[in-house]
Each structure stands twice: as C-alpha cells, then as structure tokens.
Amino acid sequence: MRFVPRGTGHAIPKKIVTNDDLAKLMSTNDEWIKTRTGIERRHIVEKGTSTSDLGTAAALEAIAMAGWQPQEVDLILAATLSPDYYFPGLGVLIQDKLGCRAIPAIDIRGQCAGFVWSLATAQGFGLTGQYQKIVVVGAEIHSNVIDWNDHGRDIAVLFGDGAGALALELEPGVPELSKRGLIDFVMGSDGSGVEVLCMKRPGMAGQERFVTHEDIEKRLVHPQMDGKKVYINAVNRMCESVTTLMTRHGITAADIDLLIPHQANLRINETVREKLGFPENKVVNIITNYGNTTAATIPLCMHHAVRDGRLKPGSLVMTTAFGAGFSWGANLIRW
Ligand code: UT7
C-alpha cells in the first residue's frame, strides 16, 4: 500500500513585516538581509492566533482540495517546534478544531526537517494499511519567541509564521518509482549539534525549575544559533540526502521534475542546487516572501507549486530539509 497526494493547503497570517520594518527595531538593513538570505518580507500572527489555528486552516484547505470531509480523516501527523502548549502536542488541538473523529494525532519533533520526517512516518503507516486518509501538517509561530532587538537580530530577520498541509490517500500497490505516491525517504540526526541551534529554556535540562526570571534576563528563552555552522552542515546533509535517494533509485537530477528544499536561506538552496546539478527552473523557492517557517516550508512550497501548475499528477518530486538537532532528510514522491 502507498500514500498518494490528494490535496494541499496553506495558512499565512495577514500581517507583513518587511526588512525595512525590522530596521526600525534593530541594527539591520534591507541590503544585509536580502544579500545574505534572499528574504524580503515575512508574515507574522496578530495576538490571539495560535499555531493550531494556522495548522487547522491549512489542513482544512488540503482536505477540501482532496474532496473529503474532516470526519473522513483517519490520522493526523503534525510537525512543529512551536506548539500551542508545552503539552499536549499540536496534533490533538488540530484534531479537535477540525472536528475529526477520535483519531490518532501524532506530533513529530523534527524542527526544520519535521515535514520530511512526517512524510517518512506516513509512508511507514502506509505499509500497515491501517489508515486510508491522512493529513500531514507543518505549522509554526516564531514571532512570539523572537528577540526583536539587536540581541536577536541574527535570528529575528530569518523567521516567519505560517502553516502548510498535505492530504494523502492510501492506494493499493507497493511504493515504486513508476507509481504515484510516497516512494522513499532518508532521515538522519546528529545530537552533537544541539547547542549550535536551540532554544534552551523553558526546559528540563538539569535545572530545578522549568523557567526562571534569571533565564529570561539571560535571554535563554529565545532561539540561539551559530549561523555559519548550521549553513555548512545544511548544505552537506541536504546534498547527501538527495544523492542517497537518487543513487538508490538509479536516477539523476534530469529525471526529477521538481526539487523542494527547506527554505532557510536562498544561498543554501542555490549551493545545493548547483552541487546537485538542478537547473533553476526545477527548484521551488518561496523564502523571499515568507522567510523560514521551519516545518511549514515544504508543504507551503508544495501548495504554491500545485497552484502555479508546476506540480502535477505524475511529477517526480524530491524534498530535502536540514535543521536544529541536527536533523535532516529527503523524500522521493511521484505526485
Ligand atoms: O532552518 C535551519 C536553520 N537556519 C539556517 O539554516 C541558517 C543558516 N545560516 C545562515 O543562513 C547564515 O549563516 C546567516 C544568514 C544566519 C548569517 O549569514 P553569514 O553570512 O553567515 O553572516 P555572519 O554570521 O558571518 O555575520 C556577518 C556579520 C557579523 O558581523 P561581524 O562580526 O562581521 O562584524 C554579524 O554580527 O553580520 C552581522 N549580523 C548582522 N548584520 C546586520 C548578524 N545579523 C545581522 C543582521 N543585520 N540581522
């Protein structure tokens, strides 16, 4: 059995923050942000919107495109690093807001690789044949944890809020290159990279309390990153993941219709594209308008590519992502 794409969805907050807007809050400028990252603007939520609201809206659109009702969905996989609550996870909130039956709703904590890991998980469930209709969601709100001043400027300029979703339906037949569906995946992690990109507090890491006033004063409640180390590892692991899948299936960049890379930095994606030998027109890049929306980047790219007609039934698609953990992976999909 294999899962076939049936619908995509997206949810993007209305409020736009441009690079010039950020330059009013911290020592940065449009030129620096654009040349280093390719980002020109990002969307952020207004007070009152939760990650589950974005995830639910994206899932609803994907379900509608598939021609289903929420009550028909058998399983939700929800990828996020910014859930509404520390616990329970994001998935159960989406299950309730969608009005689904009492189905399983599983959170996947793969950070920027969260959607890639979720599709790999979906593929595994496909082999059991237990669930017919599933929705995979990537949803994030970064704006609430960002340090909107000079202390956090290296991170603040990169991230945006948003959600994307993919509806998948089970079909008979094993996953293979010639048939529509999730074909194959690779995943990896290297926990020695934890401190290179993380948000340390709140958390249970050897402290007496989940979060203290001192943690807040020391700015440990905001993400921190060694950008250069992430950059180098991202290029290497994304290239390695795609190459592994191409080698396994005896294909080259010429056989793949669309490469959908994670959207962390346009320069990362350009380097990956060149190293792998993809022409520009085969790579989806939406970072200019959204920034990095972590687990939401890949389903958002899918939604845009479907809407633009670049992604059609039968297209051979490769995704790849790298993020905090470190965590990485790739999926090969016949759309
Ligand atoms: O989703 C996965 C997670 N994230 C990533 O994949 C991000 C990977 N890393 C990157 O994209 C890049 O490393 C960055 C965009 C974060 C930074 O680009 P860079 O070319 O590696 O810049 P840098 O870290 O070498 O910083 C250069 C300079 C520094 O000043 P000095 O030390 O040279 O005087 C920074 O302090 O730019 C300064 N800087 C800024 N200047 C203006 C850092 N942030 C900013 C800023 N505006 N926002």
Side-chain angles (χ1 to χ4, degrees):
M1 306 288 263
R2 68 218 147 79
F3 274 115
V4 177
R6 293 283 187 240
T8 57
H10 79 307
I12 293 295
K14 281 198 179 70
K15 185 174 175 185
I16 295 174
V17 175
T18 64
N19 293 345
D20 288 337
D21 293 331
L22 290 179
K24 291 174 196 148
L25 301 174
M26 59 194 80
S27 312
T28 192
N29 58 74
D30 181 51
E31 176 65 16
W32 192 96
I33 302 171
K34 258 197 316 219
T35 52
R36 301 276 173 148
T37 71
I39 300 166
E40 294 181 14
R41 59 193 73 81
R42 70 285 295 143
H43 293 246
I44 70 166
V45 292
E46 304 275 6
K47 194 177 166 203
T49 301
S50 303
T51 310
S52 62
D53 295 323
L54 297 179
T56 302
L60 268 176
E61 190 178 19
I63 289 168
M65 195 190 285
W68 308 340
Q69 295 299 320
Q71 294 75 22
E72 293 174 59
V73 175
D74 300 312
L75 169 72
I76 294 167
L77 298 173
T80 191
L81 61 68
S82 51
D84 294 18
Y85 302 117
Y86 189 78
F87 76 87
L90 180 68
V92 294
L93 289 154
I94 295 176
Q95 178 268 341
D96 183 46
K97 289 183 180 182
L98 282 174
C100 292
R101 291 172 287 115
I103 57 169
I106 303 169
D107 277 38
I108 308 274
R109 289 291 305 264
Q111 295 67 246
C112 297
F115 200 81
V116 167
W117 285 13
S118 297
L119 291 186
T121 306
Q123 195 179 329
F125 276 116
L127 297 176
T128 73
Q130 273 210 50
Y131 306 109
Q132 297 292 315
K133 293 177 178 167
I134 71 172
V135 179
V136 187
V137 183
E140 305 283 6
I141 291 181
H142 292 297
S143 53
N144 291 354
V145 293
I146 278 171
D147 208 2
W148 295 106
N149 54 49
D150 281 1
H151 293 286
R153 69 174 181 169
D154 57 333
I155 298 261
V157 301
L158 302 178
F159 291 93
D161 304 337
L166 177 63
L168 294 163
E169 187 167 9
L170 205 60
E171 280 202 0
V174 290
E176 60 180 79
L177 203 56
S178 62
K179 287 194 188 133
R180 290 190 65 197
L182 305 180
I183 298 165
D184 202 358
F185 60 84
V186 290
M187 293 190 281
S189 66
D190 176 5
S192 70
V194 165
E195 303 235 333
V196 179
L197 174 53
C198 65
M199 194 173 101
K200 287 194 168 163
R201 311 286 289 158
M204 315 299 189
Q207 307 291 327
E208 273 182 58
R209 306 300 306 167
F210 189 48
V211 66
T212 63
H213 291 293
E214 201 188 342
D215 293 331
I216 296 169
E217 278 154 25
K218 286 186 175 167
R219 315 194 101 82
L220 297 178
V221 294
H222 305 291
Q224 61 188 60
M225 174 174 74
D226 179 335
K228 280 199 195 309
K229 281 196 185 146
V230 179
Y231 193 109
I232 294 162
N233 281 281
V235 170
N236 291 341
R237 293 301 190 182
M238 287 164 80
C239 287
E240 174 194 284
S241 301
V242 172
T243 305
T244 300
L245 281 184
M246 292 200 299
T247 307
R248 203 183 278 170
H249 291 269
I251 55 173
T252 67
D255 300 302
I256 294 165
D257 297 303
L258 222 47
L259 176 67
I260 302 186
H262 172 51
Q263 309 285 305
N265 187 319
L266 197 55
R267 288 192 295 144
I268 292 179
N269 289 358
E270 271 300 288
T271 310
V272 167
R273 179 185 74 70
E274 279 167 19
K275 279 180 180 264
L276 293 171
F278 280 84
E280 268 180 45
N281 66 354
K282 280 193 176 184
V283 183
V284 183
N285 279 308
I286 58 167
I287 191 168
T288 305
N289 293 323
Y290 300 120
N292 182 352
T293 57
T294 340
T297 62
I298 287 179
L300 277 173
C301 285
M302 287 173 169
H303 184 72
H304 277 263
V306 166
R307 218 172 47 186
D308 300 347
R310 297 177 76 189
L311 193 48
K312 298 184 274 289
S315 302
L316 191 60
V317 186
M318 182 75 81
T319 70
T320 184
F322 178 90
F326 299 129
S327 52
W328 64 87
N331 312 103
L332 184 60
I333 306 164
R334 178 74 69 183
W335 199 261

